[in-house]
Structures are given as C-alpha cells and as structure tokens.
Amino acid sequence: MLSKSEENYLKAIFHLSVKTEKGISTNAIAQQLDTKASSVTDMVKKLSEKGLVLYVKYHGVTLTDKGEKIAANVIRKHRLWEVLLVQKFNFNWDEVHEVAEQLEHIHSKKLINEMDAFLGFPKHDPHGDPIPDKDGNINFLEKSLLSTIGVNMKAVCIGVKDTSSDFLRYLDKQEIALGKEITVLEKEAFDNSMLIRIGANEFTISQQIATNIYVKNKE
Amino acid sequence: MLSKSEENYLKAIFHLSVKTEKGISTNAIAQQLDTKASSVTDMVKKLSEKGLVLYVKYHGVTLTDKGEKIAANVIRKHRLWEVLLVQKFNFNWDEVHEVAEQLEHIHSKKLINEMDAFLGFPKHDPHGDPIPDKDGNINFLEKSLLSTIGVNMKAVCIGVKDTSSDFLRYLDKQEIALGKEITVLEKEAFDNSMLIRIGANEFTISQQIATNIYVKNKE
DNA sequence: TCAAATTTTTAGACTAACCTAAAAATAAAT
DNA sequence: ATTTATTTTTAGGTTAGTCTAAAAATTTGA
C-alpha cells in the first residue's frame, strides 16, 4: 500500500506527462508539489526501487505501466469524489478540490466502485475532466480553447483549464457552465478580447478568460 | 488542525472514558491503539500541552472539554460515514469499520454536515451506536444485554457490543438485526445459553452471543 | 511496612518525509 | 570550447510518530 505522499508524486508525474513526451524533470515535480528538488530526488529514488517510475539520474522520470495505473486510479478517485460532492452534497465546483485531495487517498476498491455505480458511472468530473475507468484508461476527448474559436462560430463549453476558485466563481457570475453554448460575436485584435453571447446575454471576456475555457466546436 | 494520530488518541481516550470515571491509564490506551506504553506517554504529553487532555504523570489522562468535543466529532464522522456506506453504497455492517477508520479523518465541516442532511440526520450508526450531534453531544440511550433478559420476556435488538466481522456475520446468518423482536423462551442454568425466538425461528444462542447483543426491554 | 510485581516514564534510536547548503553534473552562451 | 548559469544530487539535519531497554514510580501483598 502506497503512502499519501507516494501517491501524490505519481499523480504529479502523471499530470506532467500528459503535456510532455520526455522524462519529467525534478524541478517540474518540485514545482507541481510545492516542495524542494532535493525532496523530489529522494522520493523518485524510492518510487524507482518500487518499480513505479523509470529514473535516470539527471535525466528525469517516467512512469512505468504499474506507476501509471496507480496514478490514474488516484485521479479516478479524485474525480469521482468531486462528482459526489457536487451532485449529492451541494458543493459548488470551486469548493471540491481541497476535500477531494484528501478523499483521493482513501483505500477501498469496493467504496470507489460502489460510488461509481451510485453516481451512474459519470464520464467527467465537475470541471469537465475525464474520469479514468477501473483499469486506468482515460478517454482524452478533443477540445479547443475558446480563444481559438472564430468570429460567428458556435461552441459548447466542455471544460476549464484553470480550476481556481476565483476563476470558477467568475464563470458562475457570468453564467458560463459546462454544456452551455457560446457564440463568438467579435474579436478585438488589439488585446484579443472577445464579445460572446451565452443564451440571451452578451458580454466581453479577456484573452486570459478565453484561454482557460475548453470548448467543442459546433460544426 | 490535528494529525490522524492525535485524533486517534483522543478517540481512544473518549471510548475508554465511557466506562470509567477515573483517569485513563497509559496501558489502557496502548492496548486500545495497539501501540506501546512509551508511545502513549509521548503523545499524551503533546495532547496535554495542546490543552486537549489533563495529564498527571503516573496517574492517567482525562479529556478536557475541548478534547472531548474533538473526540466526539471524530466519532460523529466515523458513524455518519458508516451510515453512508451501508445505506447508499451497499456495504454490509461488517464491512464498514476499516474504511470508516480512514474516512473519519477527512477534514471538511461542510462535507460532514451535508452528508448528515443527505442521510436524513440519522441518530444511530449501522451497529446501533448513537451519532454525536454537531456540538459533540451524545444521546446515550439505555440498553440492556440480551443475557440479562428473563424467560418469557420480549426485547428489541438495538445494538451490538462486539463489532467483529465474525460476530456480525453470525448475526446475519441467524437473521438477528437491529429492530428485530427477540423472545427469550428458555435459559439453561448450566452454560447460560438461551433458547430464543425471532419471527418464526427458534434457536439456541450461547452466553457469549447473548452478552454481545444490546436490547431494549419491551414493557 | 517494605520487598516484589507492575506500571509508567525516560533515554536513545529508527523511519518517512521533509528541509538547507554545498557539491556535482548538465545545459547555455559567449 | 570553455566559462557561466542552471539543474540535480548528495550530505547532513529536523520533526512526528513509533520502538526497545532501562530507570523510576506506584501498587500489591506477605
């Protein structure tokens, strides 16, 4: 049974690996986990001895199949807990992260599988991120940033990149939510801000906002 | 914020305090937590410095109001989680303990209060033990051991003393469950076994069984 | 009451996970 | 290509929580 800390390292490496093909650097992991590079070196050695990562000194880390499966399972648990909190316990999507960080380390296969069934086998967490299945497979769906959508095009909001409370509460305030259709009305060349329509509302969003919303093109 | 270990010590002291008025001995705590007396001494010193227990060297420990409230809250969480597992996640009452031991250390007031509401503010856990309220008050209801019930008397099963899987599965097999009416038909003076009736079934139970079932007298 | 048995505490050591500071290796840049 | 900057590792130290073994206090009992 892995410790909470070991699980957090595997999860961090997993998330960093999504963007890069190369080995994950010590510093990148340290940054992700808000810890020091020396601590990372220690832990990575341990994970390597346990056969969960491939580690070549000075050349970064990669997850083994075994490590990847464990990481995916931690993420599966995190995201299923988030769904439970939002759907059953009246949590807002900006309130779930901290608690899910704790809950993801609860060890009980029965618990997580029953919860999955109880929730109707959800495919995505409250932020639109895919939930890995029992075997650790993730269904990465294709998604674009809202900022890349052309004028007069329509798109459906399917996720968020930033999951900070500030950002999510901004979206709540503007009534931007998963599943909502967004029409791009104008783009301002100077600052890349956009005029968009959601339902009956029209308003302007900054580039920073537009680069943190994932959408699916609507034909 | 207390550590898991500190919370477990407070919980152990709380449980031991129910039976005794005196200070709880180092050895008793060590036995309860399956640890060594020297470890207990160390931890008890720390809890004392934090104002959670009163500790006089060589003379045992008592919870302060603050410590008692925290302990009751851990127990509240443990028992609410057990209800969730049984009522929503198809756990049997002999399967909940291990997972609840983990879940009781999750820190989130909102989570536990929402869960309480979601479950309809249950008063008892799946073993019949009372669930402390938000302020740490426990409603100790009066209960007798089945072994003390006289011949030809009726009683309702309201709890169990032993919560081991073996015992609980025995009760399942015999269809003894919370809320069931039990009639004592005969008592054997030699070994204190009893012949009882539950519904249409009549069978004999040993003294060991009878001293682990809590009942409420029926007039 | 005072010696023996028991309980409790102290002293010192261990592990996991972290840290700082210095050394070593790699990468960047003139 | 060799100096400079950056990254990574090593060395040694800290804290929480545990342990063993020995010392101290309390309790038991003849």
Coordinates of all heavy atoms in Angstrom, one line a residue, chain B residues 180-208:
Chain B
K180 N -35.2 -6.0 15.3 CA -35.9 -7.3 15.4 C -36.3 -7.6 16.9 O -35.6 -7.3 17.8 CB -34.9 -8.4 15.0 CG -34.7 -8.5 13.5 CD -35.8 -9.3 12.8 CE -35.4 -9.4 11.3 NZ -34.9 -10.8 11.0
E181 N -37.5 -8.1 17.0 CA -38.0 -8.5 18.3 C -37.5 -9.9 18.7 O -37.6 -10.8 17.9 CB -39.5 -8.5 18.4 CG -40.1 -8.7 19.8 CD -41.6 -8.7 19.8 OE1 -42.2 -7.6 19.9 OE2 -42.2 -9.8 19.7
I182 N -37.0 -10.0 19.9 CA -36.5 -11.3 20.4 C -37.3 -11.7 21.6 O -37.4 -10.9 22.5 CB -35.0 -11.2 20.8 CG1 -34.2 -10.7 19.6 CG2 -34.4 -12.5 21.3 CD1 -32.7 -10.3 19.9
T183 N -37.7 -13.0 21.6 CA -38.4 -13.5 22.8 C -37.5 -14.6 23.4 O -37.0 -15.5 22.7 CB -39.7 -14.2 22.4 OG1 -40.5 -13.2 21.6 CG2 -40.5 -14.5 23.6
V184 N -37.3 -14.4 24.7 CA -36.5 -15.4 25.4 C -37.4 -16.6 25.9 O -38.3 -16.4 26.6 CB -35.8 -14.8 26.6 CG1 -35.0 -15.9 27.4 CG2 -34.9 -13.7 26.2
L185 N -37.1 -17.7 25.4 CA -38.0 -18.9 25.6 C -37.5 -19.7 26.8 O -38.3 -20.2 27.6 CB -38.2 -19.8 24.4 CG -38.8 -19.0 23.2 CD1 -38.7 -19.9 21.9 CD2 -40.2 -18.6 23.4
E186 N -36.2 -20.0 26.8 CA -35.6 -20.8 27.9 C -34.2 -20.3 28.2 O -33.6 -19.7 27.4 CB -35.5 -22.2 27.4 CG -36.8 -23.0 27.4 CD -36.6 -24.4 26.7 OE1 -35.4 -24.9 26.8 OE2 -37.5 -24.9 26.2
K187 N -33.8 -20.5 29.4 CA -32.4 -20.3 29.8 C -31.8 -21.5 30.4 O -32.5 -22.1 31.3 CB -32.3 -19.1 30.8 CG -32.5 -17.7 30.1 CD -32.5 -16.6 31.2 CE -31.4 -15.7 31.1 NZ -31.6 -14.4 31.8
E188 N -30.7 -21.9 30.0 CA -30.0 -23.1 30.5 C -29.1 -22.7 31.6 O -28.1 -22.0 31.4 CB -29.3 -23.8 29.4 CG -28.6 -25.1 29.7 CD -29.7 -26.1 30.3 OE1 -30.7 -26.4 29.6 OE2 -29.5 -26.5 31.5
A189 N -29.4 -23.1 32.8 CA -28.6 -22.7 34.0 C -27.1 -23.2 33.9 O -26.2 -22.5 34.3 CB -29.2 -23.3 35.3
F190 N -26.9 -24.3 33.3 CA -25.6 -24.9 33.2 C -24.6 -24.0 32.5 O -23.5 -23.6 33.0 CB -25.6 -26.3 32.6 CG -24.3 -26.9 32.5 CD1 -23.5 -27.2 33.6 CD2 -23.7 -27.1 31.2 CE1 -22.3 -27.8 33.5 CE2 -22.4 -27.6 31.1 CZ -21.7 -28.0 32.2
D191 N -24.9 -23.6 31.3 CA -24.0 -22.8 30.5 C -24.5 -21.4 30.1 O -23.9 -20.7 29.3 CB -23.6 -23.5 29.2 CG -24.7 -23.7 28.3 OD1 -25.9 -23.4 28.7 OD2 -24.5 -24.2 27.2
N192 N -25.6 -21.0 30.7 CA -26.2 -19.7 30.4 C -26.6 -19.5 28.9 O -26.7 -18.4 28.5 CB -25.4 -18.6 30.9 CG -25.3 -18.5 32.4 OD1 -26.3 -18.6 33.1 ND2 -24.1 -18.5 33.0
S193 N -26.8 -20.6 28.2 CA -27.3 -20.4 26.9 C -28.8 -20.2 26.9 O -29.4 -20.4 27.9 CB -27.0 -21.7 26.0 OG -27.7 -22.8 26.6
M194 N -29.3 -19.6 25.8 CA -30.7 -19.3 25.8 C -31.4 -19.8 24.5 O -30.7 -19.8 23.5 CB -30.9 -17.8 25.6 CG -30.3 -16.9 26.7 SD -30.6 -15.2 26.2 CE -31.1 -14.5 27.8
L195 N -32.6 -20.2 24.7 CA -33.4 -20.5 23.5 C -34.2 -19.3 23.2 O -34.9 -18.8 24.1 CB -34.3 -21.7 23.8 CG -35.3 -22.1 22.7 CD1 -34.5 -22.6 21.4 CD2 -36.3 -23.2 23.1
I196 N -34.1 -18.8 22.0 CA -34.8 -17.5 21.7 C -35.7 -17.7 20.4 O -35.5 -18.7 19.7 CB -33.9 -16.4 21.5 CG1 -32.9 -16.6 20.3 CG2 -33.1 -16.1 22.7 CD1 -32.1 -15.4 19.9
R197 N -36.7 -16.8 20.3 CA -37.5 -16.8 19.1 C -37.3 -15.5 18.4 O -37.4 -14.4 19.1 CB -38.9 -17.1 19.3 CG -39.8 -17.0 18.1 CD -41.2 -17.6 18.2 NE -41.9 -17.0 19.3 CZ -42.6 -17.7 20.2 NH1 -42.6 -19.0 20.2 NH2 -43.3 -17.1 21.2
I198 N -37.1 -15.5 17.1 CA -37.1 -14.3 16.3 C -38.0 -14.5 15.1 O -37.6 -15.4 14.3 CB -35.7 -13.9 15.8 CG1 -34.8 -13.6 17.0 CG2 -35.7 -12.7 14.9 CD1 -33.4 -13.1 16.7
G199 N -39.1 -13.8 15.0 CA -40.0 -14.1 14.0 C -40.5 -15.5 14.1 O -41.0 -15.9 15.2
A200 N -40.4 -16.3 13.1 CA -40.8 -17.7 13.2 C -39.7 -18.7 13.6 O -40.0 -19.9 13.8 CB -41.4 -18.1 11.8
N201 N -38.5 -18.2 13.7 CA -37.4 -19.0 14.0 C -37.1 -19.2 15.5 O -37.1 -18.2 16.2 CB -36.1 -18.5 13.3 CG -36.3 -18.4 11.8 OD1 -37.0 -19.2 11.2 ND2 -35.6 -17.4 11.2
E202 N -36.8 -20.4 15.9 CA -36.4 -20.6 17.3 C -35.0 -21.3 17.2 O -34.8 -22.2 16.5 CB -37.4 -21.6 18.0 CG -38.7 -20.9 18.4 CD -39.6 -21.8 19.1 OE1 -39.2 -22.8 19.6 OE2 -40.8 -21.5 19.2
F203 N -34.1 -20.8 18.1 CA -32.8 -21.4 18.1 C -32.1 -21.0 19.4 O -32.5 -20.1 20.1 CB -32.0 -21.1 16.9 CG -31.9 -19.6 16.6 CD1 -30.8 -18.9 17.1 CD2 -32.9 -19.0 15.9 CE1 -30.7 -17.5 16.9 CE2 -32.8 -17.6 15.6 CZ -31.7 -16.9 16.1
T204 N -31.0 -21.8 19.7 CA -30.3 -21.6 20.9 C -29.0 -20.7 20.6 O -28.4 -20.9 19.6 CB -29.8 -22.9 21.4 OG1 -31.0 -23.7 21.7 CG2 -29.0 -22.7 22.8
I205 N -28.8 -19.8 21.5 CA -27.5 -19.0 21.4 C -26.7 -19.1 22.7 O -27.3 -19.3 23.8 CB -27.8 -17.5 21.1 CG1 -28.6 -16.9 22.3 CG2 -28.6 -17.3 19.8 CD1 -28.8 -15.4 22.2
S206 N -25.4 -19.1 22.5 CA -24.5 -19.2 23.7 C -24.5 -18.0 24.5 O -25.0 -16.9 24.1 CB -23.1 -19.5 23.2 OG -22.6 -18.4 22.6
Q207 N -24.0 -18.1 25.7 CA -23.9 -16.9 26.6 C -23.0 -15.8 25.9 O -23.3 -14.6 26.0 CB -23.2 -17.2 27.9 CG -23.1 -16.1 28.8 CD -22.5 -16.4 30.2 OE1 -21.7 -17.3 30.3 NE2 -23.0 -15.8 31.2
Q208 N -22.0 -16.3 25.2 CA -21.1 -15.3 24.6 C -21.8 -14.5 23.5 O -21.6 -13.3 23.4 CB -19.9 -16.1 23.9 CG -18.7 -15.2 23.8 CD -17.6 -15.8 22.9 OE1 -17.6 -17.0 22.7 NE2 -16.8 -14.9 22.3

